Structure formats: structure tokens, C-alpha cells
Amino acid sequence: MTRRVAVVGANGFIGNRLVETLHLGGTFSVRPIVRRTEALALARRFDLDGAVADACDGAALEKALAGCDLVVHAVAGDPATIVASAAATYRAACAAGVGRMVYLSSASVHGQSPPPGTTDETPLSDRQTIAYNNAKVRAENLLRRMRQDGQAGLLILRPGIVYGPRSSWIGGFADDLLAGRGVLVNGGEGICNGIYVDNLVDAVVLALEGRGRDGEAYGVGDAETYRWVDLLEPVAATLGTEPLRVDVAPGPVGGPGLRSSALGTARAMAKSLLPGRVRAALRAGHAAFRAYPAPPRPRRTRREPLVSEEMALLHGCAWKLPHDRATRDLGYAPRISFREGLARSLAWLEFADYPVITASRAGDGEPA
Amino acid sequence: MNAPPKRVAISGCGAVTRLYYLPALGELAAGGSITVAAVFDPDRQAARSVAARFPGATVADGLEALLAERPDLVFVASPPAVHEGQAIACMEAGADVFCEKPLCLSGVAAHRLQSAARRTGRRLVVGMVRRRFPATQAIRDLVASGTIGRIETVHGFEGGPFRWPVASQRYFSQEVSGGGVFQDIGTHAVDLLTWWFGEPSDLSYEDDAMGGVEANCRLVLRYPGFEATLRLSRDWARPNRYEIRGSLGTIVWSVDEPHRIELSHAGRDRPFDLVARPDAVDSGGSGRASVIDFQSCFTEQTAAAVGMRDAGKLVSVDEAVRVVELIERAYAERRPFAQPWLQGASFQQATP
């Protein structure tokens, strides 16, 4: 009998790809769970019935998980939500008789720039400078404690930089590039501990199939070692633009701030400067309109620093996190090469209506 | 002597009624030009909360009970799948109808509505609020006058992560909505494109529905000498704007700016902002000039529907039929939208 998998956070980048893959794969039946009904828009491309539940609301989750054999927690959120939703989902999974919960933690439990030698066995700290990392550490610790008394099995995955179609690392970076804010820190020479989203989905499927040791956490990543510039520069090339290159000295990171450009606010009436045809058109039908010389439009009004602490640490990473434990226990082997994953991500930019200048298979040629 | 207030009724108390019709009708009722006689929604609580805004409004048990209140005009803002049945029942009961878009879900149904309007002698108009935007009216005139020369390309993008507060996931179904993002936003967009450029000579259409309703689609309307491409999404945001490139200039319109367009013209380095004066839209019954925004245009459309002004600008059933038919034709010629991350077997499976 086909087992039913609930995906909590089904409208997120990873959750959505899980729903796509599990549904189209046919091995599992899928129940997408989202916080608001309207967030089912992508899942409803398939004729899939979803459930609506706040991931921090145990009672609502228990109802949503009824009849499910397995659950994947793919909820994004602020630090408080990360911890609360992990606990609520595990508690609801136990109450609903779910066999196993797969929790998507993050490689950032080791920090954005893990020290050389870091492995899955390295002890974790919840006193890092970045709140997200601490929340993921606390969620893992809490889940392990809950597992001691809970009925549902638990498996934790720690993906690094998950990229692919709809990821912020691709689409968000494209938006930043078009706004003149796409940055490579120190040339992007640091190691990117990336994982193409389908490789992560494969690891989730292995966990859903019962592989791996109960309560254990597994780092997962792509097979290849590559740099940030290898991931991000092709995004810029596809858009015909260049990332800004910002050098940040090692040490405490504040990052150079970006001054928003001061916009001229004075708008002189300028009808007399209009071409004759436009003047005539305005006279004919648009007495209600006034013409102004358009000021340069603000490209972005965000005021946060151009380089965040997180970005500086990521782009300065000097260690490729291993995934040998996942290989040994889960049978994890990255199926999609970096080259292919990147090619699919760049092709998505065209799908998403970005102004690409090259063919959909931009980057470095045909995928392997 | 002032005319007596028009008796209006509302069928459908979902998000569009709550967010837009309530402020518009509230303003008209406060000005004394209408009274809301009755309200109906199968979700009685939703109907009650709308009726509470209008003293004396009855919460009807069904459409028949609503029509028993003898409204002059019914606002049909129910799910698209029931527009046809409700609008015909209203007209047969002697009421005019203002139908929220889309008019209905098939060309056959649209023609039945057209016939019913003729047979009953009632007025049937369709809510196409964007026609009230000074920006869209200016685009139509600038294109028609040849101001930007011969049209060369047109491109529009609308959408982003879906945030419309739907009541049920059945909203995302053929049965209730007749499609996904194309049936929803596409109705507005196709109406504008055909209003600006006329009927296309040909079209092609692709979307990402895989057994359900589409979240992404791409429509290409072909005209002699140019193509108009429309990309709609409930998935990923890009700037929501239209760019109309002609041999002498370019018009850029951001959808969230009802009052403003940007016009570049040959020989000018910098574009012009064309900004409508606040009194270009006369909001509701107040007669006051106000900020031109989506709601003021919506209120103006509602005021026109109750016969206060500019009724000639309303979109007639005859015009709406053409949009319904074009959307139906696009769906009929649908091809799967290539999703490059669905490789090999999974893509084959997704696109039977």
C-alpha cells in the first residue's frame, strides 16, 4: 500500500520540490500542509488535497497529520518559529501515529564557515553569533530529547546551501544583481557547501524509506567541491550582468553599508519639452495628465548592509563538509552533478521570466 | 428632486466583496445613492458580517430569497462557476446585474448570458476595474494615436507568490474557478491587451497545470507585425509591469500604479512620467477629488454600475464575451509549459 507523506511547509522552496518529486514519483502519496489556504497554489497544480495548519499549532497539526505514515518538516521561519514548529510537529506526529519524522535542519549548525575538520560528529554550540544557527541547534537538541519519550521515529538532515529553481540563492541573487546589489565577497573564492535541491530530496526519500539510524543527524551535500563564484557568477552571466566584488578583511564583520542614492525630488513641469506627437496626444485625450521628466527610479530602497555577517562568513568558508555518514547509513549518493544542478537552475531563470541573455542552458555548456 | 436610492443586493461575500465592494458600496450608501437591501452567501457568517455594514440589509437564505427583496441591481461576486446561473436568475427576476470578473467559464455560457440580457431587457455589465485606471486609458489612446509609432513588442508580467485570501482550497479547481492564474488575472490582462490592440490574429498558450490548475502560464497573442507576450504567475515575483515598445517610443506601466505611466520617446534620453491629476477619478458619491488608487477606481466603477456616472465606460456583456472566448480558446490550445527541472520520466509523467 502506498504510504502517505505529509510535507509541513509545502509551499517553501524545498517543500514544494518535495511535493513535486514525491507526487510525480508515485512511490508515496503526498499531503501538503501549509499555514494559509492560498499557499496551496503550487500544490494545486496537481489535483492534490492539502491541509491548512500553523506549524506551531499542535492541535491543528495533529488533525492535518491524521492518516499520514510519515512527515517531513520543511518549515522556514524566524528563530522562535524554527524551534516551536519542530517541537509541535514532532508532538503532533506522535499523537497522530506517524511512523517517522524527517527534520530538515541545516549545515549551519556548524556555523557559516565551519572550521576545517568539522564532521557530523563535531559538537554543536547554541551560542553562535547568528540566531538562525542557534535555533537549528536548539531544535535538533529538543527533538532528540523528545524522541526519548516519543513514539515517532526521527531522522535529521543537515543540508548546506540548497540551490535550484525557486531558491533564494538563485532567484534572490538574480533579484539582487538586477538591483545592483549582487555581491561576491573576496571574489567568492570560499567553498560553497551546496546541495542541489533534488539531491536533498533524494536524501529525504531515503530517510522516508526507513534508512539511517533513528535520532541521528546527517550532513548532506553535492559530490563536488566548488566555490561561491562557481555558483553565482553563472547567474550573473545569464542575466548579462556582473556581481559587485567586495573585499572584506578577516575579523569582526560589519560590512560596508550601502547609501541609498538621494533622489531628486524636485519635478519641474516639463510639457514644453515633450515631443510634438506626445503633446498632441495629451491635448487630445489626456488633459487629466501631467508630464514630468521621470527621475531615475530607485533600484532598491533597502538599507541593510550590502554584505551581511552571514554572507561574509559563507563566502569565506574554507572547509567542504563531508557527507560520508549519510553515504554509509542512508546510502546517500548525490545523483545530480553540480554542473547539471546549476544548468537546471539557470534554465529556471528563463522560465521565471528573468531577462536572460543566453539560451536556457547557460553556464558552462551542456550538462553532464 | 433627488432620485430615490437604488436598491442593490450582493450575492457572494468572499474576499473581493469584503476588501473592495464593502468600502465602495459603503461610500455610496453613506451618500444616500443606494440602499443595500439583501445579502447572500452560502457561508451565512460571511453574509452576516457584510450585512452588518448596511442597516436594514436582509441576510437571504438563497438567491431566490435575495431576489424576493426586489433589488434594482445585484452585484454577483460569487465563485465564477455560478455566475451564469445567478446572473440569469437575477435578470429574469427583473434586476440589472453587475458581475464580477470573469463573466463565466465558457463561450457557450457567455452567449447564454448575452441572450438572457437581450430577452429580459436587463443590463448586464462586468467588473473590469482596470479599465477605470487613468493609466490604462492613456495607454489605449497613446497606442491608438500612433504616439509611439508602429508597435514592435509587448510584454507583460503579473503575479508572485499567491496571497489572495481564499476561503477554501476548492478555489484552486476547474469546478469552482474554471482554471488557475490565467482564468484569474488573465481575464484582466486579456481584456486590457485586446482593448489596447484589438483581436489577435493568432495565439499560443502554455501552462504548468499537471492535473490541477495552473500556477504559471505564458500567453502569446499574435498581431500583424508584433507579438504580445503575457507571463502570469502565482509562484515567483518579477516586476508586475507592461512594456509596450513602438518604433517611436516605449510605454511602461506598473500594474500597482493606476495613475501613472512612463513614456520614453525617440530622441529623449530620459523617459517622462505621465501622472494623472487626482481629480481624474471622481471617487464615489463624495464628489471630492481624491488620491487615485485601486480602491478609488473600484469605487468609481461601482458608482457607474449604480448609474451615477460614466455608465458608458462599463464593460458590456458583448465585450466580455470576447474575453471569455479568447481565454477558452487559449485553454483549448494549451501546451505544457516546459519546466526544465522536471527531467526525463518525471516530466513525461507530468505532461501526459
Side-chain angles (χ1 to χ4, degrees):
Chain A
M1 194 175 144
T2 308
R3 283 170 299 167
R4 184 180 294 275
V5 179
V7 178
V8 185
N11 58 317
F13 154 54
I14 298 168
N16 172 65
R17 184 66 184 126
L18 260 168
V19 170
E20 278 182 348
T21 308
L22 296 178
H23 175 71
L24 295 173
T27 311
F28 299 94
S29 68
V30 191
R31 178 178 297 164
I33 299 178
V34 296
R35 191 157 64 91
R36 294 168 288 106
T37 309
E38 49 270 33
L40 286 168
L42 279 172
R44 294 289 297 182
R45 288 173 298 152
F46 313 104
D47 201 14
L48 268 179
D49 278 336
V52 177
D54 187 314
C56 297
D57 179 344
L61 274 177
E62 184 183 337
K63 198 172 156 197
L65 292 176
C68 292
D69 305 294
L70 300 153
V71 60
V72 182
H73 180 287
V75 177
D78 59 28
T81 302
I82 286 170
V83 178
S85 67
T89 304
Y90 185 76
R91 205 171 288 123
C94 293
V98 170
R100 184 179 245 192
M101 168 170 157
V102 179
Y103 177 67
L104 296 186
S105 181
S106 167
S108 65
V109 293
H110 300 298
Q112 274 64 19
S113 187
T118 301
T119 69
D120 282 336
E121 285 80 24
T122 302
L124 306 181
S125 165
D126 66 355
R127 291 172 182 276
Q128 303 180 43
T129 57
I130 294 178
Y132 173 84
N133 303 356
N134 295 331
K136 284 293 189 186
V137 171
R138 287 172 193 146
E140 283 196 17
N141 291 341
L142 182 57
L143 286 172
R144 282 203 198 83
R145 285 200 300 276
M146 292 176 77
R147 174 65 188 108
Q148 290 170 7
D149 300 318
Q151 298 301 307
L154 172 69
L155 195 126
I156 297 169
L157 293 172
R158 292 174 181 162
I161 302 301
V162 189
Y163 67 93
R166 299 189 177 93
S167 86
S168 61
W169 302 108
I170 301 297
F173 188 67
D175 291 338
D176 283 346
L177 284 164
L178 294 173
R181 292 182 56 98
V183 171
L184 282 176
V185 181
N186 296 336
E189 291 294 325
I191 290 171
C192 174
N193 278 295
I195 178 168
Y196 181 64
V197 64
D198 285 16
N199 290 334
L200 173 58
V201 168
D202 285 352
V204 172
V205 169
L206 292 167
L208 293 172
E209 288 171 345
R211 313 276 188 94
R213 295 211 310 271
D214 188 58
E216 195 61 271
Y218 294 95
V220 284
D222 281 345
E224 302 87 344
T225 300
Y226 48 89
R227 303 163 302 166
W228 279 93
V229 65
D230 301 321
L231 177 70
L232 298 182
E233 205 160 53
V235 177
T238 301
L239 299 174
T241 182
E242 285 276 337
L244 300 172
R245 289 169 187 273
V246 176
D247 289 334
V248 174
V253 182
L258 180 75
R259 279 192 208 130
S260 62
S261 62
L263 294 174
T265 51
R267 289 168 150 196
M269 287 288 289
K271 264 190 185 163
S272 60
L273 300 176
L274 286 169
R277 291 178 79 105
V278 182
R279 275 206 307 278
L282 287 176
R283 272 199 305 273
H286 299 288
F289 273 80
R290 286 175 176 156
Y292 302 90
R297 307 198 77 179
R299 308 201 75 175
R300 203 82 164 212
T301 53
R302 293 190 321 196
R303 287 177 178 275
E304 65 262 36
L306 195 55
V307 177
S308 65
E309 177 185 6
E310 182 187 17
M311 188 191 297
L313 289 168
L314 284 169
H315 287 207
C317 178
W319 177 245
K320 161 77 173 168
L321 287 166
H323 53 255
D324 49 321
R325 186 153 80 174
T327 302
R328 187 187 67 221
D329 290 359
L330 285 172
Y332 170 73
R335 184 172 47 90
I336 307 295
S337 68
F338 170 64
R339 198 176 178 192
E340 173 65 10
L342 181 59
R344 291 185 191 181
S345 305
L346 299 178
W348 168 79
L349 288 172
E350 189 174 2
F351 173 88
D353 210 38
Y354 282 90
V356 301
I357 58 155
T358 54
S360 56
R361 289 292 170 134
D364 50 0
E366 284 300 305
Chain B
M1 196 175 124
N2 288 340
K6 191 165 255 189
R7 285 172 70 76
V8 308
I10 305 166
S11 175
C13 298
V16 71
T17 296
R18 206 169 57 245
L19 295 173
Y20 299 120
Y21 284 106
L22 267 187
L25 290 171
E27 191 172 326
L28 295 172
S33 50
I34 64 161
T35 57
V36 176
V39 167
F40 164 64
D41 193 290
D43 177 349
R44 209 170 162 78
Q45 183 52 43
R48 267 195 223 106
S49 71
V50 169
R53 294 280 300 273
F54 302 101
T58 303
V59 176
D61 286 333
L63 193 68
E64 206 172 314
L66 181 112
L67 294 171
E69 295 293 327
R70 313 292 300 171
D72 303 309
L73 169 69
V74 180
F75 286 87
V76 173
S78 45
V82 300
H83 282 181
E84 180 196 358
Q86 291 194 346
I88 290 175
C90 292
M91 290 188 285
E92 287 178 343
D96 292 334
V97 172
F98 181 92
C99 186
E100 183 49 50
K101 66 87 198 168
L103 172 64
C104 57
L105 301 179
S106 74
V108 170
H111 285 292
R112 281 197 294 262
L113 281 160
Q114 210 173 16
S115 304
R118 286 191 190 128
R119 187 177 69 245
T120 59
R122 304 320 308 176
R123 187 155 202 244
L124 170 60
V125 292
V126 184
M128 290 291 186
V129 64
R130 293 179 178 196
R131 294 256 200 128
R132 318 296 295 195
F133 293 179
T136 63
Q137 294 167 15
I139 291 171
R140 176 177 154 89
D141 292 346
L142 290 170
V143 167
S145 66
T147 305
I148 59 167
R150 191 182 64 258
I151 304 299
E152 294 176 343
T153 62
V154 178
H155 182 270
F157 179 96
E158 291 198 55
F162 191 61
R163 297 207 170 90
W164 185 250
V166 300
S168 153
Q169 63 183 298
R170 292 186 64 241
Y171 174 88
F172 301 108
S173 69
Q174 290 290 343
E175 296 71 32
V176 171
S177 299
V181 69
F182 185 51
Q183 186 67 261
D184 176 17
I185 300 298
T187 297
H188 279 306
V190 166
D191 179 62
L192 286 182
L193 291 170
T194 53
W195 191 47
W196 292 335
F197 306 115
E199 294 295 308
S201 52
D202 195 12
L203 63 82
S204 61
Y205 172 79
E206 52 195 352
D207 73 36
D208 65 353
M210 291 171 273
V213 297
E214 75 280 359
N216 287 282
C217 73
R218 201 167 82 102
L219 172 75
V220 179
L221 300 179
R222 295 197 181 80
Y223 292 90
F226 73 99
E227 290 184 345
T229 303
L230 176 68
R231 178 72 170 80
L232 305 175
S233 181
R234 286 175 171 170
D235 173 6
W236 190 266
R238 297 276 309 126
N240 281 220
R241 57 178 225 158
Y242 288 75
E243 181 172 305
I244 301 156
R245 209 173 270 277
S247 55
L248 297 176
T250 299
I251 301 168
V252 174
W253 173 52
S254 291
V255 175
D256 60 356
E257 296 183 311
H259 64 294
R260 176 184 176 279
I261 59 175
E262 194 175 279
L263 174 67
S264 307
H265 210 266
R268 292 281 307 173
D269 291 339
R270 284 172 57 189
F272 289 98
D273 271 347
L274 294 185
V275 182
R277 291 198 314 259
D279 57 353
V281 169
D282 183 10
S283 177
S286 69
R288 293 191 308 269
S290 61
V291 174
I292 301 171
D293 58 13
F294 185 88
Q295 183 62 54
S296 66
C297 295
F298 205 94
T299 300
E300 192 206 38
Q301 176 183 252
T302 310
V306 301
M308 288 179 59
R309 70 178 62 80
D310 267 350
K313 280 193 194 169
L314 290 165
V315 176
S316 70
V317 63
D318 300 336
E319 283 182 279
V321 165
R322 289 200 291 274
V323 174
V324 171
E325 286 178 333
L326 195 148
I327 285 176
E328 185 177 39
R329 179 181 160 197
Y331 274 133
E333 296 182 18
R334 172 193 182 273
R335 287 177 302 154
F337 202 159
Q339 297 169 75
W341 60 96
L342 298 178
Q343 297 288 309
S346 65
F347 185 65
Q348 293 302 317
Q349 191 175 344
T351 56

